[in-house]
Amino acid sequence: MNASRSDPRLNRAKNLLFIHGYPLDRSMWELQLLSLPSEIQAVAVNLSGFGENALKPSEAGRGGSGKCSMESYADRCIQFLDQQDMFDPVVICGLSMGGYVAFEIWNRHPNRVKAMILCDTRAAADTSEGKALRKSIADRVLQEGTEAVVKPMIEKLLGKESRLNNQMLVQKLTEMMHRVTPATIHRDQIAMMGRADFTLRLPEIKVPCLLVVGEEDAISTPVEMQGMADVIPNARLTIIPRAAHLPPMENPIAFNAEIEKFLATIA
Ligand code: MLT
């Protein structure tokens, strides 16, 4: 992480940026950062409002926490890479909202993208029903607090086996979400509502892509992600067993094996 550009280790390194989903933070990638082979130089960003970048109580007024967008998150990721001295193209690995940000990085900063790992995400924008649902969540969280989203989110993020047999994971996610302020959740729902639709642009993505999805994912389903893999020229989909929307946390062994296999194919 502290290696400089001239460090010869970087010539071998497959630089990788992890981008977390909503409403999580970079600690969701702990089991990847700890286990990937040392020749892969991997870093994980906290988008603003999450993890160490969580708002201070004085900033987290009920009226919202300023504007953000998938575009501003993409620019922030590039700034983060610059701060790590990672100026060469990297592999961008984003999960769900992190995938929306990955599309914007490809769109706005194509020369920084070597390959993409798109996990449990979608290229399509929200439907009008999806937007209405986001608006109601955004309003509700300002009235009721972060608690209002925690339980429903756990139900959606985790597969049956994780919910029943992995109480440590349930606990970790619960704590992670409780660190996010209502203002940040409100702001992110509004930002995701306004995100661009990349469906028609998928054939333009020429970098190698690995698409990953949990077999039980009901948010971005294996069928929907297969449809994306079919139209991205250099892409394949892998389905992770015993996982829903969070394969890196629910089945890290299978997830890590898949990304290592993919990284080995990148020059
Ligand atoms: C996520 O996991 O980042 C969210 O499910 C994204 C979304 O709400 O579209």
Side-chain angles (χ1 to χ4, degrees), residues 213-244:
V213 67
E215 66 178 347
E216 294 171 56
D217 193 344
I219 302 180
S220 38
T221 63
V223 170
E224 180 171 2
M225 291 205 67
Q226 183 62 61
M228 290 162 62
D230 288 345
V231 295
I232 301 175
N234 191 0
R236 76 176 169 85
L237 174 74
T238 184
I239 298 178
I240 305 292
R242 295 185 305 285

PDB file of all heavy atoms in Angstrom, residues 213-244:
ATOM      1  N   VAL A 213     -21.988 -13.311  -9.197  1.00  0.00           N
ATOM      2  CA  VAL A 213     -23.284 -13.154  -8.527  1.00  0.00           C
ATOM      3  C   VAL A 213     -23.525 -14.340  -7.603  1.00  0.00           C
ATOM      4  O   VAL A 213     -23.133 -15.466  -7.911  1.00  0.00           O
ATOM      5  CB  VAL A 213     -24.426 -12.998  -9.567  1.00  0.00           C
ATOM      6  CG1 VAL A 213     -24.662 -14.262 -10.380  1.00  0.00           C
ATOM      7  CG2 VAL A 213     -25.729 -12.550  -8.905  1.00  0.00           C
ATOM      8  N   GLY A 214     -24.163 -14.060  -6.469  1.00  0.00           N
ATOM      9  CA  GLY A 214     -24.555 -15.143  -5.566  1.00  0.00           C
ATOM     10  C   GLY A 214     -25.753 -15.876  -6.152  1.00  0.00           C
ATOM     11  O   GLY A 214     -26.650 -15.246  -6.709  1.00  0.00           O
ATOM     12  N   GLU A 215     -25.762 -17.188  -5.988  1.00  0.00           N
ATOM     13  CA  GLU A 215     -26.844 -17.966  -6.635  1.00  0.00           C
ATOM     14  C   GLU A 215     -28.237 -17.585  -6.137  1.00  0.00           C
ATOM     15  O   GLU A 215     -29.212 -17.724  -6.857  1.00  0.00           O
ATOM     16  CB  GLU A 215     -26.617 -19.481  -6.453  1.00  0.00           C
ATOM     17  CG  GLU A 215     -26.712 -19.970  -5.028  1.00  0.00           C
ATOM     18  CD  GLU A 215     -26.528 -21.490  -4.898  1.00  0.00           C
ATOM     19  OE1 GLU A 215     -26.562 -22.199  -5.922  1.00  0.00           O
ATOM     20  OE2 GLU A 215     -26.345 -21.958  -3.773  1.00  0.00           O
ATOM     21  N   GLU A 216     -28.314 -17.045  -4.893  1.00  0.00           N
ATOM     22  CA  GLU A 216     -29.636 -16.683  -4.353  1.00  0.00           C
ATOM     23  C   GLU A 216     -29.907 -15.177  -4.434  1.00  0.00           C
ATOM     24  O   GLU A 216     -30.814 -14.690  -3.771  1.00  0.00           O
ATOM     25  CB  GLU A 216     -29.718 -17.076  -2.877  1.00  0.00           C
ATOM     26  CG  GLU A 216     -29.668 -18.551  -2.589  1.00  0.00           C
ATOM     27  CD  GLU A 216     -29.542 -18.786  -1.079  1.00  0.00           C
ATOM     28  OE1 GLU A 216     -30.389 -18.297  -0.320  1.00  0.00           O
ATOM     29  OE2 GLU A 216     -28.552 -19.422  -0.681  1.00  0.00           O
ATOM     30  N   ASP A 217     -29.104 -14.447  -5.180  1.00  0.00           N
ATOM     31  CA  ASP A 217     -29.291 -12.990  -5.202  1.00  0.00           C
ATOM     32  C   ASP A 217     -30.625 -12.632  -5.844  1.00  0.00           C
ATOM     33  O   ASP A 217     -30.866 -12.935  -7.016  1.00  0.00           O
ATOM     34  CB  ASP A 217     -28.138 -12.313  -5.962  1.00  0.00           C
ATOM     35  CG  ASP A 217     -28.111 -10.804  -5.731  1.00  0.00           C
ATOM     36  OD1 ASP A 217     -29.139 -10.266  -5.256  1.00  0.00           O
ATOM     37  OD2 ASP A 217     -27.080 -10.174  -6.007  1.00  0.00           O
ATOM     38  N   ALA A 218     -31.476 -11.955  -5.057  1.00  0.00           N
ATOM     39  CA  ALA A 218     -32.781 -11.561  -5.591  1.00  0.00           C
ATOM     40  C   ALA A 218     -32.783 -10.086  -5.989  1.00  0.00           C
ATOM     41  O   ALA A 218     -33.758  -9.590  -6.547  1.00  0.00           O
ATOM     42  CB  ALA A 218     -33.856 -11.818  -4.545  1.00  0.00           C
ATOM     43  N   ILE A 219     -31.702  -9.357  -5.697  1.00  0.00           N
ATOM     44  CA  ILE A 219     -31.638  -7.927  -6.057  1.00  0.00           C
ATOM     45  C   ILE A 219     -31.107  -7.804  -7.481  1.00  0.00           C
ATOM     46  O   ILE A 219     -31.728  -7.188  -8.344  1.00  0.00           O
ATOM     47  CB  ILE A 219     -30.736  -7.133  -5.067  1.00  0.00           C
ATOM     48  CG1 ILE A 219     -31.248  -7.282  -3.624  1.00  0.00           C
ATOM     49  CG2 ILE A 219     -30.672  -5.663  -5.477  1.00  0.00           C
ATOM     50  CD1 ILE A 219     -30.412  -6.543  -2.583  1.00  0.00           C
ATOM     51  N   SER A 220     -29.934  -8.371  -7.722  1.00  0.00           N
ATOM     52  CA  SER A 220     -29.405  -8.438  -9.103  1.00  0.00           C
ATOM     53  C   SER A 220     -29.252  -9.933  -9.375  1.00  0.00           C
ATOM     54  O   SER A 220     -28.305 -10.542  -8.907  1.00  0.00           O
ATOM     55  CB  SER A 220     -28.071  -7.707  -9.203  1.00  0.00           C
ATOM     56  OG  SER A 220     -27.299  -7.921  -8.035  1.00  0.00           O
ATOM     57  N   THR A 221     -30.179 -10.484 -10.070  1.00  0.00           N
ATOM     58  CA  THR A 221     -30.278 -11.950 -10.164  1.00  0.00           C
ATOM     59  C   THR A 221     -29.244 -12.531 -11.135  1.00  0.00           C
ATOM     60  O   THR A 221     -28.741 -11.828 -12.026  1.00  0.00           O
ATOM     61  CB  THR A 221     -31.675 -12.352 -10.685  1.00  0.00           C
ATOM     62  OG1 THR A 221     -31.807 -11.819 -12.009  1.00  0.00           O
ATOM     63  CG2 THR A 221     -32.789 -11.819  -9.800  1.00  0.00           C
ATOM     64  N   PRO A 222     -28.938 -13.830 -10.984  1.00  0.00           N
ATOM     65  CA  PRO A 222     -28.044 -14.478 -11.953  1.00  0.00           C
ATOM     66  C   PRO A 222     -28.546 -14.315 -13.391  1.00  0.00           C
ATOM     67  O   PRO A 222     -27.736 -14.114 -14.299  1.00  0.00           O
ATOM     68  CB  PRO A 222     -28.069 -15.951 -11.500  1.00  0.00           C
ATOM     69  CG  PRO A 222     -28.324 -15.880 -10.019  1.00  0.00           C
ATOM     70  CD  PRO A 222     -29.267 -14.716  -9.840  1.00  0.00           C
ATOM     71  N   VAL A 223     -29.852 -14.346 -13.600  1.00  0.00           N
ATOM     72  CA  VAL A 223     -30.383 -14.208 -14.969  1.00  0.00           C
ATOM     73  C   VAL A 223     -30.059 -12.816 -15.518  1.00  0.00           C
ATOM     74  O   VAL A 223     -29.590 -12.667 -16.658  1.00  0.00           O
ATOM     75  CB  VAL A 223     -31.916 -14.459 -14.983  1.00  0.00           C
ATOM     76  CG1 VAL A 223     -32.520 -14.084 -16.324  1.00  0.00           C
ATOM     77  CG2 VAL A 223     -32.210 -15.902 -14.625  1.00  0.00           C
ATOM     78  N   GLU A 224     -30.282 -11.805 -14.699  1.00  0.00           N
ATOM     79  CA  GLU A 224     -29.998 -10.436 -15.156  1.00  0.00           C
ATOM     80  C   GLU A 224     -28.499 -10.263 -15.434  1.00  0.00           C
ATOM     81  O   GLU A 224     -28.097  -9.663 -16.439  1.00  0.00           O
ATOM     82  CB  GLU A 224     -30.458  -9.416 -14.099  1.00  0.00           C
ATOM     83  CG  GLU A 224     -30.190  -7.983 -14.526  1.00  0.00           C
ATOM     84  CD  GLU A 224     -30.806  -6.926 -13.626  1.00  0.00           C
ATOM     85  OE1 GLU A 224     -31.434  -7.270 -12.606  1.00  0.00           O
ATOM     86  OE2 GLU A 224     -30.656  -5.735 -13.965  1.00  0.00           O
ATOM     87  N   MET A 225     -27.665 -10.843 -14.561  1.00  0.00           N
ATOM     88  CA  MET A 225     -26.222 -10.670 -14.756  1.00  0.00           C
ATOM     89  C   MET A 225     -25.714 -11.488 -15.938  1.00  0.00           C
ATOM     90  O   MET A 225     -24.776 -11.086 -16.617  1.00  0.00           O
ATOM     91  CB  MET A 225     -25.474 -10.985 -13.471  1.00  0.00           C
ATOM     92  CG  MET A 225     -25.776  -9.918 -12.413  1.00  0.00           C
ATOM     93  SD  MET A 225     -24.500  -9.749 -11.176  1.00  0.00           S
ATOM     94  CE  MET A 225     -23.113  -9.085 -12.072  1.00  0.00           C
ATOM     95  N   GLN A 226     -26.363 -12.618 -16.222  1.00  0.00           N
ATOM     96  CA  GLN A 226     -25.986 -13.378 -17.425  1.00  0.00           C
ATOM     97  C   GLN A 226     -26.274 -12.526 -18.669  1.00  0.00           C
ATOM     98  O   GLN A 226     -25.485 -12.500 -19.623  1.00  0.00           O
ATOM     99  CB  GLN A 226     -26.756 -14.704 -17.489  1.00  0.00           C
ATOM    100  CG  GLN A 226     -26.373 -15.577 -18.675  1.00  0.00           C
ATOM    101  CD  GLN A 226     -24.902 -16.009 -18.642  1.00  0.00           C
ATOM    102  OE1 GLN A 226     -24.474 -16.681 -17.708  1.00  0.00           O
ATOM    103  NE2 GLN A 226     -24.123 -15.612 -19.649  1.00  0.00           N
ATOM    104  N   GLY A 227     -27.402 -11.803 -18.620  1.00  0.00           N
ATOM    105  CA  GLY A 227     -27.756 -10.919 -19.738  1.00  0.00           C
ATOM    106  C   GLY A 227     -26.681  -9.861 -19.965  1.00  0.00           C
ATOM    107  O   GLY A 227     -26.355  -9.513 -21.108  1.00  0.00           O
ATOM    108  N   MET A 228     -26.096  -9.364 -18.888  1.00  0.00           N
ATOM    109  CA  MET A 228     -25.013  -8.374 -19.027  1.00  0.00           C
ATOM    110  C   MET A 228     -23.763  -9.036 -19.607  1.00  0.00           C
ATOM    111  O   MET A 228     -23.124  -8.508 -20.517  1.00  0.00           O
ATOM    112  CB  MET A 228     -24.677  -7.756 -17.657  1.00  0.00           C
ATOM    113  CG  MET A 228     -25.763  -6.851 -17.104  1.00  0.00           C
ATOM    114  SD  MET A 228     -25.581  -6.564 -15.313  1.00  0.00           S
ATOM    115  CE  MET A 228     -23.995  -5.755 -15.225  1.00  0.00           C
ATOM    116  N   ALA A 229     -23.427 -10.215 -19.065  1.00  0.00           N
ATOM    117  CA  ALA A 229     -22.217 -10.914 -19.540  1.00  0.00           C
ATOM    118  C   ALA A 229     -22.335 -11.252 -21.023  1.00  0.00           C
ATOM    119  O   ALA A 229     -21.336 -11.243 -21.748  1.00  0.00           O
ATOM    120  CB  ALA A 229     -21.995 -12.182 -18.720  1.00  0.00           C
ATOM    121  N   ASP A 230     -23.550 -11.509 -21.484  1.00  0.00           N
ATOM    122  CA  ASP A 230     -23.751 -11.876 -22.889  1.00  0.00           C
ATOM    123  C   ASP A 230     -23.414 -10.735 -23.850  1.00  0.00           C
ATOM    124  O   ASP A 230     -23.080 -10.981 -24.998  1.00  0.00           O
ATOM    125  CB  ASP A 230     -25.209 -12.309 -23.128  1.00  0.00           C
ATOM    126  CG  ASP A 230     -25.505 -13.668 -22.505  1.00  0.00           C
ATOM    127  OD1 ASP A 230     -24.546 -14.387 -22.155  1.00  0.00           O
ATOM    128  OD2 ASP A 230     -26.700 -13.999 -22.358  1.00  0.00           O
ATOM    129  N   VAL A 231     -23.538  -9.496 -23.388  1.00  0.00           N
ATOM    130  CA  VAL A 231     -23.321  -8.389 -24.328  1.00  0.00           C
ATOM    131  C   VAL A 231     -22.017  -7.614 -24.107  1.00  0.00           C
ATOM    132  O   VAL A 231     -21.634  -6.787 -24.926  1.00  0.00           O
ATOM    133  CB  VAL A 231     -24.518  -7.399 -24.365  1.00  0.00           C
ATOM    134  CG1 VAL A 231     -25.757  -8.079 -24.911  1.00  0.00           C
ATOM    135  CG2 VAL A 231     -24.798  -6.804 -22.995  1.00  0.00           C
ATOM    136  N   ILE A 232     -21.332  -7.890 -23.000  1.00  0.00           N
ATOM    137  CA  ILE A 232     -19.996  -7.284 -22.824  1.00  0.00           C
ATOM    138  C   ILE A 232     -19.026  -8.194 -23.583  1.00  0.00           C
ATOM    139  O   ILE A 232     -18.987  -9.400 -23.345  1.00  0.00           O
ATOM    140  CB  ILE A 232     -19.603  -7.187 -21.329  1.00  0.00           C
ATOM    141  CG1 ILE A 232     -20.619  -6.339 -20.558  1.00  0.00           C
ATOM    142  CG2 ILE A 232     -18.202  -6.588 -21.178  1.00  0.00           C
ATOM    143  CD1 ILE A 232     -20.392  -6.287 -19.036  1.00  0.00           C
ATOM    144  N   PRO A 233     -18.254  -7.634 -24.536  1.00  0.00           N
ATOM    145  CA  PRO A 233     -17.476  -8.495 -25.435  1.00  0.00           C
ATOM    146  C   PRO A 233     -16.526  -9.465 -24.747  1.00  0.00           C
ATOM    147  O   PRO A 233     -16.393 -10.594 -25.164  1.00  0.00           O
ATOM    148  CB  PRO A 233     -16.694  -7.487 -26.290  1.00  0.00           C
ATOM    149  CG  PRO A 233     -17.435  -6.211 -26.182  1.00  0.00           C
ATOM    150  CD  PRO A 233     -18.159  -6.210 -24.871  1.00  0.00           C
ATOM    151  N   ASN A 234     -15.847  -9.030 -23.681  1.00  0.00           N
ATOM    152  CA  ASN A 234     -14.815  -9.880 -23.089  1.00  0.00           C
ATOM    153  C   ASN A 234     -15.190 -10.187 -21.634  1.00  0.00           C
ATOM    154  O   ASN A 234     -14.482  -9.820 -20.709  1.00  0.00           O
ATOM    155  CB  ASN A 234     -13.484  -9.120 -23.180  1.00  0.00           C
ATOM    156  CG  ASN A 234     -12.290  -9.986 -22.851  1.00  0.00           C
ATOM    157  OD1 ASN A 234     -12.431 -11.163 -22.542  1.00  0.00           O
ATOM    158  ND2 ASN A 234     -11.115  -9.376 -22.886  1.00  0.00           N
ATOM    159  N   ALA A 235     -16.356 -10.831 -21.475  1.00  0.00           N
ATOM    160  CA  ALA A 235     -16.854 -11.042 -20.106  1.00  0.00           C
ATOM    161  C   ALA A 235     -17.317 -12.466 -19.900  1.00  0.00           C
ATOM    162  O   ALA A 235     -17.715 -13.145 -20.847  1.00  0.00           O
ATOM    163  CB  ALA A 235     -18.030 -10.103 -19.847  1.00  0.00           C
ATOM    164  N   ARG A 236     -17.234 -12.907 -18.653  1.00  0.00           N
ATOM    165  CA  ARG A 236     -17.907 -14.158 -18.305  1.00  0.00           C
ATOM    166  C   ARG A 236     -18.522 -14.002 -16.925  1.00  0.00           C
ATOM    167  O   ARG A 236     -18.075 -13.177 -16.112  1.00  0.00           O
ATOM    168  CB  ARG A 236     -16.957 -15.347 -18.377  1.00  0.00           C
ATOM    169  CG  ARG A 236     -16.002 -15.466 -17.260  1.00  0.00           C
ATOM    170  CD  ARG A 236     -15.142 -16.734 -17.358  1.00  0.00           C
ATOM    171  NE  ARG A 236     -14.074 -16.642 -16.375  1.00  0.00           N
ATOM    172  CZ  ARG A 236     -14.200 -17.005 -15.100  1.00  0.00           C
ATOM    173  NH1 ARG A 236     -15.345 -17.490 -14.659  1.00  0.00           N
ATOM    174  NH2 ARG A 236     -13.192 -16.889 -14.258  1.00  0.00           N
ATOM    175  N   LEU A 237     -19.559 -14.800 -16.683  1.00  0.00           N
ATOM    176  CA  LEU A 237     -20.265 -14.756 -15.390  1.00  0.00           C
ATOM    177  C   LEU A 237     -19.891 -15.971 -14.572  1.00  0.00           C
ATOM    178  O   LEU A 237     -19.807 -17.082 -15.105  1.00  0.00           O
ATOM    179  CB  LEU A 237     -21.776 -14.764 -15.622  1.00  0.00           C
ATOM    180  CG  LEU A 237     -22.636 -14.873 -14.352  1.00  0.00           C
ATOM    181  CD1 LEU A 237     -22.654 -13.567 -13.570  1.00  0.00           C
ATOM    182  CD2 LEU A 237     -24.077 -15.275 -14.691  1.00  0.00           C
ATOM    183  N   THR A 238     -19.685 -15.766 -13.287  1.00  0.00           N
ATOM    184  CA  THR A 238     -19.533 -16.906 -12.395  1.00  0.00           C
ATOM    185  C   THR A 238     -20.569 -16.789 -11.273  1.00  0.00           C
ATOM    186  O   THR A 238     -20.816 -15.691 -10.767  1.00  0.00           O
ATOM    187  CB  THR A 238     -18.082 -17.012 -11.859  1.00  0.00           C
ATOM    188  OG1 THR A 238     -17.982 -18.189 -11.084  1.00  0.00           O
ATOM    189  CG2 THR A 238     -17.670 -15.837 -11.013  1.00  0.00           C
ATOM    190  N   ILE A 239     -21.170 -17.919 -10.936  1.00  0.00           N
ATOM    191  CA  ILE A 239     -22.227 -17.923  -9.915  1.00  0.00           C
ATOM    192  C   ILE A 239     -21.666 -18.565  -8.646  1.00  0.00           C
ATOM    193  O   ILE A 239     -21.122 -19.669  -8.691  1.00  0.00           O
ATOM    194  CB  ILE A 239     -23.466 -18.685 -10.423  1.00  0.00           C
ATOM    195  CG1 ILE A 239     -24.010 -17.965 -11.665  1.00  0.00           C
ATOM    196  CG2 ILE A 239     -24.543 -18.773  -9.347  1.00  0.00           C
ATOM    197  CD1 ILE A 239     -25.201 -18.622 -12.318  1.00  0.00           C
ATOM    198  N   ILE A 240     -21.776 -17.850  -7.531  1.00  0.00           N
ATOM    199  CA  ILE A 240     -21.189 -18.331  -6.275  1.00  0.00           C
ATOM    200  C   ILE A 240     -22.261 -19.061  -5.460  1.00  0.00           C
ATOM    201  O   ILE A 240     -23.311 -18.468  -5.148  1.00  0.00           O
ATOM    202  CB  ILE A 240     -20.609 -17.138  -5.448  1.00  0.00           C
ATOM    203  CG1 ILE A 240     -19.598 -16.326  -6.269  1.00  0.00           C
ATOM    204  CG2 ILE A 240     -19.990 -17.630  -4.142  1.00  0.00           C
ATOM    205  CD1 ILE A 240     -18.294 -17.026  -6.610  1.00  0.00           C
ATOM    206  N   PRO A 241     -22.005 -20.303  -5.111  1.00  0.00           N
ATOM    207  CA  PRO A 241     -23.002 -21.047  -4.321  1.00  0.00           C
ATOM    208  C   PRO A 241     -23.058 -20.550  -2.873  1.00  0.00           C
ATOM    209  O   PRO A 241     -22.128 -19.902  -2.398  1.00  0.00           O
ATOM    210  CB  PRO A 241     -22.486 -22.502  -4.373  1.00  0.00           C
ATOM    211  CG  PRO A 241     -21.027 -22.371  -4.629  1.00  0.00           C
ATOM    212  CD  PRO A 241     -20.804 -21.086  -5.401  1.00  0.00           C
ATOM    213  N   ARG A 242     -24.134 -20.888  -2.190  1.00  0.00           N
ATOM    214  CA  ARG A 242     -24.346 -20.531  -0.774  1.00  0.00           C
ATOM    215  C   ARG A 242     -24.131 -19.035  -0.526  1.00  0.00           C
ATOM    216  O   ARG A 242     -23.472 -18.628   0.431  1.00  0.00           O
ATOM    217  CB  ARG A 242     -23.442 -21.373   0.141  1.00  0.00           C
ATOM    218  CG  ARG A 242     -23.779 -22.865   0.109  1.00  0.00           C
ATOM    219  CD  ARG A 242     -22.967 -23.658   1.105  1.00  0.00           C
ATOM    220  NE  ARG A 242     -21.533 -23.473   0.949  1.00  0.00           N
ATOM    221  CZ  ARG A 242     -20.812 -24.022  -0.039  1.00  0.00           C
ATOM    222  NH1 ARG A 242     -21.400 -24.784  -0.951  1.00  0.00           N
ATOM    223  NH2 ARG A 242     -19.515 -23.812  -0.122  1.00  0.00           N
ATOM    224  N   ALA A 243     -24.643 -18.215  -1.433  1.00  0.00           N
ATOM    225  CA  ALA A 243     -24.530 -16.762  -1.262  1.00  0.00           C
ATOM    226  C   ALA A 243     -25.706 -16.095  -1.969  1.00  0.00           C
ATOM    227  O   ALA A 243     -26.256 -16.640  -2.926  1.00  0.00           O
ATOM    228  CB  ALA A 243     -23.216 -16.257  -1.860  1.00  0.00           C
ATOM    229  N   ALA A 244     -26.073 -14.905  -1.460  1.00  0.00           N
ATOM    230  CA  ALA A 244     -27.104 -14.095  -2.132  1.00  0.00           C
ATOM    231  C   ALA A 244     -26.422 -12.846  -2.701  1.00  0.00           C
ATOM    232  O   ALA A 244     -25.678 -12.946  -3.676  1.00  0.00           O
ATOM    233  CB  ALA A 244     -28.227 -13.784  -1.157  1.00  0.00           C
TER     234      ALA A 244
END
